[in-house]
Amino acid sequence: MTSKELLYVEDALGHEKYFQTKCQETADQVQDADLKACVQQMAQKHQQLYQSFLNLL
């Protein structure tokens, strides 16, 4: 992996971690059960993507 590719993966890791955190924070504040479940699914998806990028390293 080139240094430039590594930087892209590091950026992707940071973005996915940020999105996962924000989704979880939002899910914790949402009152509507359906919307809460949707946002929690989004948080899980971003966590899975984070793990996928981490596994590239």
Side-chain angles (χ1 to χ4, degrees):
M1 186 177 290
T2 68
S3 60
K4 190 167 189 171
E5 290 170 329
L6 183 59
L7 288 173
Y8 285 135
V9 173
E10 288 175 350
D11 279 349
L13 276 169
H15 291 145
E16 290 305 328
K17 192 65 170 172
Y18 173 80
F19 291 139
Q20 188 271 332
T21 301
K22 288 300 173 185
C23 286
Q24 193 58 54
E25 288 174 359
T26 301
D28 292 342
Q29 296 175 1
V30 172
Q31 300 298 319
D32 182 88
D34 291 333
L35 184 56
K36 184 181 205 90
C38 180
V39 177
Q40 285 174 328
Q41 287 176 346
M42 290 170 58
Q44 290 173 345
K45 183 62 176 177
H46 286 295
Q47 179 62 31
Q48 291 170 352
L49 289 168
Y50 178 85
Q51 285 299 328
S52 294
F53 283 125
L54 193 60
N55 290 338
L56 288 174
L57 303 176

